[in-house]
Amino acid sequence: MRDFTNLYWRLDATTSTNEKVAALRDYFRAAAPDDAACALAVLRGDRQPRAVSTARLREWAAAAAGLPAWLVEECYAHVGDLAETLALILPEPDGAAAADAGRGAGNADPGLAAVVRETVHGLRDAPEDRAREVVTAVWRRLAPRERIVWHKLVTGGLRVGVSRTLVARALAEIAGVEPAVMAHRLMGDAALDGAGFARLLAPESGAGDDRRPYPFFLAAALDRTAPAALAEDLGPAVEWQAEWKWDGMRAQIVRRGADVAVWSRGEELVNEAFPEIAAAGLALPPGTVLDGELLAVRDGRLLGFAALSKRASRTRATRQVLAEVPCAFVAYDLLEAGGVDVRGRPLAERRAGLERLVTSVFTDTGAGAAAGPGPFLSPVVAGDSWEHLAAARATSRDRGVEGLMLKRRSSPYGTGRTRGDWWKWKIDPLEIDVVLLYAQAGHGRRAGLHSDYTLGVWHDGKLVTVAKAYSGLTDAEIVEIDRIVRATTVEKHGPVRICTPTLVFQMAFEGVSASTRHKSGVAVRFPRLVRWRRDKRPADAGTLAELRGMIR
């Protein structure tokens, strides 16, 4: 546990790519295989189980520290990070001097895998008294800096400031293989245990898992979107393939041997959530991998991402959900054909192979969208000039799509977000003026500053909450807003402050849909603040009726 804690803080202390890779390389070279496999799952962002709720940790830590609950909440509001708050208020561990010297607290330091097995997986279904006993024992053993990391582990909220690309690069250096090879090995459920981690570092490629997908190639957002600017930045439009940017979920269908696997971009196997897509994949010839989009389509109409998320969030799709949110797979790239990796071939060649393999073209309008699970072929948007493509992009919102994708016809299929060959030319966001209702202290470098905002609009003479936003303002503006929040606070609930409505912001978002899960009846997608409207009063903010009018 101590070695992983040291890695966590070493990564947290630097923004240097080379230093992060060096820290990862040093840790994985020295770690026991089981510990390395466990660390890898955390570093690459796998879903983490929660063994103990934050409410219980608060209660138990307050009792252990001899502090009232309200004082713990005040400390949390000041620190801004619950894991750090609890680590700081707890009594010093047994053998504190030895712990501070880096020698632990008098007992042999357990490895990360043992800690996760005993205090995360082992406590998920444990009675409360047993869980409290284990948690208290861990607190007595760990130094404060180790407690912070462990608190995040046991609550399922440990996030480490390192990308998968850097993890793959560090492991590739250890294994003596190319980073792209390691990135592919890391896809799916690789390295679940020590034996799997050892296979990951094998210098020679093995048979591998036939279900494993390829690393996804990601597009970058265009900085300039006017046709003249695109001609200057990208060259002639005829050198680019334009497609609709679908409002769905990125996925790969992997058809090898007698099996089919459907993988999300988050590297989750989603066969159970999308059984009709997996069944449709059996029609593909063995040795085929398609990259594309999962879309929710019912009665010839695209339903959008909000509907699709009902499927994606379920471990297994019920009959009712299958009937309410039928889905289709739209393919836009061919990654493997006849068992041969074709990612290095030009897009124009891969597209020709895809069109020979998938002949049913997905109807690209909201009305009359193709029925059935597919696979369907994503249509190419016609246009021999940037002006023609801009005109097509202008119809995106009516079609239920997010804009255009631009892909260089000569480009290979890359790994990760490589700028230059794939671009997303999204439509302009929707916007509305909103009022700040609640503010919460941020985390990391914003700890102690109220930088997480709950925002509202008017309805029947009252302000109703419609979104939360965390980005879009400058550091100087956040400091100034923090002072106003503190001065206008009318009520406090832990780190959350209810404020007198005085601040108005312009909020941008990608879309809005009806929602039964929100009191306002609407859910906005990807909200962020565009600017602080100092020129407006709360009475000038938008209304719920305006938001509802933006629903497709």
Side-chain angles (χ1 to χ4, degrees), residues 463-487:
L463 287 166
V464 296
T465 60
V466 293
K468 291 185 177 182
Y470 315 94
S471 62
L473 300 176
T474 67
D475 289 345
E477 286 175 326
I478 290 172
V479 171
E480 186 177 353
I481 291 169
D482 178 76
R483 288 197 295 266
I484 297 173
V485 165
R486 295 176 186 275

Side-chain angles (χ1 to χ4, degrees), residues 397-451:
R397 188 160 276 124
D398 292 335
R399 294 174 179 271
V401 298
E402 298 181 325
L404 290 178
M405 294 293 301
L406 302 176
K407 303 176 181 179
R408 195 184 302 274
R409 297 182 187 275
S410 60
S411 66
Y413 187 95
T415 299
R417 200 178 302 278
T418 305
R419 295 175 65 89
D421 287 334
W422 281 25
W423 299 96
K424 47 188 177 183
W425 188 12
K426 299 181 70 172
I427 51 178
D428 295 331
L430 300 169
E431 293 182 345
I432 194 169
D433 289 334
V434 292
V435 180
L436 174 66
L437 302 179
Y438 315 136
Q440 182 172 344
H443 302 279
R445 68 184 182 89
R446 290 182 174 178
L449 291 173
H450 292 84
S451 58

Side-chain angles (χ1 to χ4, degrees), residues 300-335:
R301 184 170 62 91
L302 291 167
L303 301 183
F305 182 81
L308 184 70
S309 63
K310 295 180 181 179
R311 293 281 299 270
S313 62
R314 293 175 178 265
T315 304
R316 183 185 298 271
T318 63
R319 288 185 179 182
Q320 180 179 351
V321 171
L322 287 170
E324 291 178 351
V325 191
C327 292
F329 181 82
V330 178
Y332 40 67
D333 215 324
L334 178 65
L335 311 187

Side-chain angles (χ1 to χ4, degrees), residues 239-294:
E239 296 179 0
W240 295 83
Q241 175 178 297
E243 304 169 34
W244 297 117
K245 188 181 186 309
W246 303 106
D247 186 19
M249 188 173 84
R250 187 84 176 270
Q252 287 182 29
I253 292 182
V254 178
R255 169 76 160 105
R256 299 192 184 105
D259 199 10
V260 172
V262 183
W263 292 93
S264 72
R265 178 182 147 187
E267 297 181 23
E268 292 187 347
L269 189 64
V270 293
N271 286 39
E272 298 295 331
F274 299 93
E276 74 275 44
I277 306 300
L282 290 170
L284 297 169
T288 300
V289 179
L290 302 181
D291 181 20
E293 200 92 3
L294 289 166

Side-chain angles (χ1 to χ4, degrees), residues 129-437:
D129 56 349
R130 170 59 181 164
R132 184 169 186 170
E133 179 184 343
V134 171
V135 168
T136 304
V138 172
W139 282 337
R140 287 198 298 265
R141 188 174 72 238
L142 296 182
R145 67 197 304 270
E146 294 173 318
R147 289 173 178 168
I148 295 174
V149 177
W150 181 75
H151 286 155
K152 295 176 184 292
L153 270 175
V154 80
T155 57
L158 181 58
R159 302 290 180 267
V160 185
V162 64
S163 69
R164 296 186 184 193
T165 301
L166 294 188
V167 175
R169 178 175 153 187
L171 292 175
E173 291 183 16
I174 297 172
V177 300
E178 291 296 321
V181 173
M182 183 57 66
H184 189 199
R185 291 184 185 181
L186 286 172
M187 294 294 289
D189 54 1
L192 290 177
D193 53 21
F197 184 80
R199 290 193 297 271
L200 194 68
L201 298 183
E204 300 297 331
S205 298
D209 184 355
D210 282 345
R211 311 182 99 199
R212 188 174 301 168
Y214 289 102
F216 285 85
F217 189 23
L218 307 178
L222 285 169
D223 298 322
R224 303 197 297 167
T225 59
L230 292 178
E232 180 181 343
D233 294 341
L234 305 183
V238 293
E239 296 179 0
W240 295 83
Q241 175 178 297
E243 304 169 34
W244 297 117
K245 188 181 186 309
W246 303 106
D247 186 19
M249 188 173 84
R250 187 84 176 270
Q252 287 182 29
I253 292 182
V254 178
R255 169 76 160 105
R256 299 192 184 105
D259 199 10
V260 172
V262 183
W263 292 93
S264 72
R265 178 182 147 187
E267 297 181 23
E268 292 187 347
L269 189 64
V270 293
N271 286 39
E272 298 295 331
F274 299 93
E276 74 275 44
I277 306 300
L282 290 170
L284 297 169
T288 300
V289 179
L290 302 181
D291 181 20
E293 200 92 3
L294 289 166
L295 300 176
V297 187
R298 187 180 63 224
D299 299 330
R301 184 170 62 91
L302 291 167
L303 301 183
F305 182 81
L308 184 70
S309 63
K310 295 180 181 179
R311 293 281 299 270
S313 62
R314 293 175 178 265
T315 304
R316 183 185 298 271
T318 63
R319 288 185 179 182
Q320 180 179 351
V321 171
L322 287 170
E324 291 178 351
V325 191
C327 292
F329 181 82
V330 178
Y332 40 67
D333 215 324
L334 178 65
L335 311 187
E336 184 176 317
V340 177
D341 179 355
V342 298
R343 293 176 298 157
R345 299 177 186 175
L347 171 63
E349 185 178 334
R350 300 197 311 275
R351 175 73 189 194
L354 179 63
E355 291 177 354
R356 289 191 295 270
L357 191 65
V358 181
T359 56
S360 297
V361 180
F362 188 77
T363 305
D364 58 285
T365 61
F376 297 103
L377 181 67
S378 181
V380 171
V381 179
D384 56 6
S385 70
W386 292 117
E387 288 76 14
H388 289 162
L389 291 177
R393 170 179 171 264
T395 69
S396 295
R397 188 160 276 124
D398 292 335
R399 294 174 179 271
V401 298
E402 298 181 325
L404 290 178
M405 294 293 301
L406 302 176
K407 303 176 181 179
R408 195 184 302 274
R409 297 182 187 275
S410 60
S411 66
Y413 187 95
T415 299
R417 200 178 302 278
T418 305
R419 295 175 65 89
D421 287 334
W422 281 25
W423 299 96
K424 47 188 177 183
W425 188 12
K426 299 181 70 172
I427 51 178
D428 295 331
L430 300 169
E431 293 182 345
I432 194 169
D433 289 334
V434 292
V435 180
L436 174 66
L437 302 179

